Amino acid sequence: MIDLKVNIDKLEGFVSKESIYSFEQQLLLHQGSLLNKTGKGNDFLGWITLPDEIDEAMLASLEKDAQDIAAQADIYVVIGIGGSYLGARAVIEALQHNFAGLQGKSGRKAPLVVYAGNNISEDYLADLIDILDERDYALTVISKSGTTTEPAIAFRILRRHLEQKYGLEEARKRIIAITDGSKGALKKLANKEGYKTYIVPDDVGGRYSVLTPVGLLPIAVAGFDIREFVKGALAMKHLVTSARTIDENPAFKYAAARNALYAAGKPIEIMVNYQPSLIYITEWWKQLYGESEGKQNRGIFPAGVSFTTDLHSMGQYVQEGLRVIFETVLSIEKPKRELSVPLEADDADGLNFVSGRRIHEVNRQAELGTLLAHVDGNVPNMVISLPRVDENTLGQLLYFYEFGCALSGYILDVNPFDQPGVEAYKKNMFALLGKPGFEEQTAILRSRI
Ligand code: PA5
């Protein structure tokens, strides 16, 4: 059962229906190229069939590891960057208690997941070590290449910390590595040390890997139902790979609408949420779309806001700034919890007119009011809606975004599965750090600083 819907009614007046539907034939061809593996980047299409391929043995193994980690650890550190951590974090933060970090052991059913290796901040790592000194923990290091600087540095430090804290033998039992099947430094080290490993398939890129152990293991450790998550993704896969029209296929509709807006002079898409727990869904989406489309001097710039919080900051720009943006609202029909506005005898803040009403109703009216205000301010809006946030609907949502991204990248005529641009900073950083082999570049760069 598919719950996700895409509503493009409020694009009227910004782009014509014809311009959106004119993409339909192209989308059919691109859907075919993805399924037949004949388009750009066709050696990285393994993500398409992941929901069909995750078998009982894999799910059982992930669940068993999650149980073992929960028995050993109060804190679970996920080391990874980009596609090697954002998918897991997006799902975990969407599902967990908003204040999971402040809940004690008894309030949480599973270890608290924390993240490392997604920055090079000395303070961040040192502060993390303060916490890990005091608490039982286990870690999973995720790096397909095994050579990415940020997670490699974090793993060097935390592996040593773990070994000093628990001794070599016990430390080995607390480390799981998720990496390439055969090559790479991490694979070599994992083999040498005897760490449990999971494989990232060769034909699945980092930002499309949430349905591999890269996403599934941390989600399971955090105590969530990975079977339902995969089920939701599978249902969405059936729909977006088979439906052949914009009206029937939400990924077609989303890809067509955003490309029609782009062609009409709107190169910036702002993903809007009204729940702080969805901020990392936006972060994951930003990586997926930014890395997939931003190349060859084209691509829609993916930005994000969390309303109503950001209505008190970015809201001004959205309402009256440069008219080059469109918004996509991720709308959730029903919250997980229930809370109403209380009645106050003196009504000092004048809010008694909403007393007794659910907080969500207030949020919902803020959402609808903002949408109309932004449309009136010449910001086209579309809405992706889900009835609720749970494992199943998140599986649907993430697969929908992935397929929509692949289609949209093909419309833009780029390879949505590579990321040649991310090498530039790495080369400069290595040269400035004086890495052997970069001598010539080192001198040139230093002379420019
Ligand atoms: O989407 C991608 O491919 C990237 O974001 C990578 O996931 C990220 O750079 C981390 O790479 P690796 O898993 O090799 O450490």
Side-chain angles (χ1 to χ4, degrees):
M1 152 102 182
I2 289 295
D3 301 293
L4 179 147
K5 301 212 166 27
V6 179
N7 185 325
I8 57 171
D9 292 351
K10 292 287 178 286
L11 301 187
E12 206 187 318
F14 297 105
V15 278
S16 66
K17 269 217 145 154
E18 294 72 58
S19 72
I20 296 173
Y21 282 78
S22 70
F23 285 106
E24 196 163 77
Q25 282 312 309
Q26 218 192 116
L27 282 160
L28 257 180
L29 291 176
H30 297 326
Q31 182 191 45
S33 315
L34 287 167
L35 300 180
N36 306 327
K37 304 195 174 189
T38 49
K40 288 186 176 170
N42 57 9
D43 45 347
F44 275 97
L45 294 177
W47 58 273
I48 294 177
T49 46
L50 283 173
D52 305 288
E53 287 160 5
I54 301 159
D55 58 11
E56 178 55 35
M58 173 60 82
L59 290 167
S61 169
L62 292 164
E63 287 168 344
K64 167 82 173 55
D65 284 334
Q67 274 172 13
D68 291 349
I69 290 168
Q72 288 172 328
D74 178 27
I75 303 241
Y76 173 62
V77 186
V78 174
I79 300 178
I81 194 165
S84 287
Y85 97 106
L86 279 169
R89 187 164 191 175
V91 174
I92 291 167
E93 301 224 345
L95 294 173
Q96 77 183 1
H97 193 283
N98 274 286
F99 298 92
L102 297 179
Q103 286 180 310
K105 256 193 207 171
S106 51
R108 258 187 286 111
K109 284 181 261 127
L112 177 69
V113 183
V114 300
Y115 305 88
N118 55 61
N119 58 60
I120 324 181
S121 164
E122 189 162 338
D123 289 345
Y124 184 96
L125 266 177
D127 287 354
L128 177 59
I129 286 168
D130 287 345
I131 305 298
L132 300 180
D133 280 341
E134 307 292 324
R135 313 273 280 269
D136 272 321
Y137 76 102
L139 70 81
T140 291
V141 53
I142 308 174
S143 179
K144 188 174 174 191
S145 63
T147 53
T148 307
T149 309
E150 292 87 341
I153 288 177
F155 186 48
R156 271 194 184 209
I157 289 179
L158 295 184
R159 180 162 65 104
R160 186 157 303 175
H161 183 269
L162 203 64
E163 288 170 358
Q164 278 162 0
K165 183 167 169 137
Y166 294 102
L168 263 182
E169 266 318 293
E170 176 65 17
R172 283 189 186 118
K173 292 188 198 140
R174 287 171 180 263
I175 295 174
I176 294 178
I178 305 180
T179 186
D180 183 90
S182 52
K183 47 187 192 296
L186 183 55
K187 179 68 190 163
K188 243 194 234 159
L189 179 71
N191 287 347
K192 183 174 137 249
E193 296 290 334
Y195 302 146
K196 167 119 197 214
T197 51
Y198 284 101
I199 301 309
V200 192
D202 280 346
D203 57 357
V204 178
R207 60 190 176 275
Y208 292 85
S209 69
V210 66
L211 286 152
T212 72
V214 171
L216 297 178
L217 180 62
I219 295 168
V221 174
F224 300 112
D225 186 345
I226 51 175
R227 290 171 192 264
E228 269 306 309
F229 179 61
V230 173
K231 231 189 245 173
L234 186 59
M236 183 56 75
K237 182 208 167 231
H238 284 151
L239 178 63
V240 295
T241 57
S242 63
R244 298 172 62 78
T245 65
I246 285 179
D247 287 332
E248 291 165 323
N249 191 323
F252 274 26
K253 197 187 269 184
Y254 179 50
R258 61 199 298 282
N259 277 282
L261 288 161
Y262 181 61
K266 307 283 182 194
I268 298 171
E269 177 175 11
I270 303 182
M271 188 62 63
V272 179
N273 68 65
Y274 281 81
Q275 308 282 345
S277 57
L278 299 180
I279 287 173
Y280 268 87
I281 295 282
T282 301
E283 290 305 305
W284 174 85
W285 167 85
K286 274 163 59 182
Q287 189 213 353
L288 180 65
Y289 280 73
E291 242 181 11
S292 298
E293 293 188 335
K295 46 198 75 157
Q296 294 167 234
N297 298 324
R298 54 185 101 123
I300 299 167
F301 181 83
V305 289
S306 190
F307 288 164
T308 60
T309 312
D310 293 334
L311 284 172
H312 298 259
S313 58
M314 292 299 289
Q316 173 60 37
Y317 192 100
V318 177
Q319 190 69 49
E320 296 183 348
L322 209 58
R323 304 298 70 190
V324 291
I325 53 187
F326 65 97
E327 288 177 303
T328 301
V329 180
L330 178 55
S331 179
I332 308 300
E333 280 158 35
K334 207 165 172 273
K336 296 178 206 135
R337 310 290 300 269
E338 269 192 42
L339 207 59
S340 303
V341 181
L343 184 75
E344 292 274 4
D346 65 356
D347 195 23
D349 54 13
L351 276 177
N352 271 356
F353 75 101
V354 287
S355 69
R357 283 150 87 175
R358 296 275 299 274
I359 305 283
H360 187 68
E361 194 193 331
V362 180
N363 203 22
R364 179 86 184 129
Q365 301 319 309
E367 179 181 323
L368 295 173
T370 303
L371 186 140
L372 294 177
H374 288 181
V375 166
D376 290 345
N378 280 325
V379 177
N381 264 249
M382 61 179 144
V383 180
I384 296 169
S385 61
L386 291 177
R388 65 197 167 274
V389 174
D390 62 20
E391 289 90 334
N392 190 298
T393 58
L394 289 174
Q396 294 179 38
L397 178 70
L398 267 50
Y399 196 92
F400 154 81
Y401 275 141
E402 288 181 348
F403 207 80
C405 183
L407 292 170
S408 190
Y410 279 175
I411 291 177
L412 286 162
D413 197 21
V414 297
N415 175 356
F417 309 111
D418 67 0
Q419 54 285 327
V422 300
E423 294 311 311
Y425 99 89
K426 293 183 192 170
K427 282 188 197 139
N428 283 359
M429 174 178 73
F430 290 142
L432 289 169
L433 285 167
K435 186 174 177 175
F438 286 77
E439 291 75 7
E440 202 178 316
Q441 207 41 28
T442 303
I444 296 170
L445 290 179
R446 283 190 184 156
S447 75
R448 287 175 55 200
I449 287 170

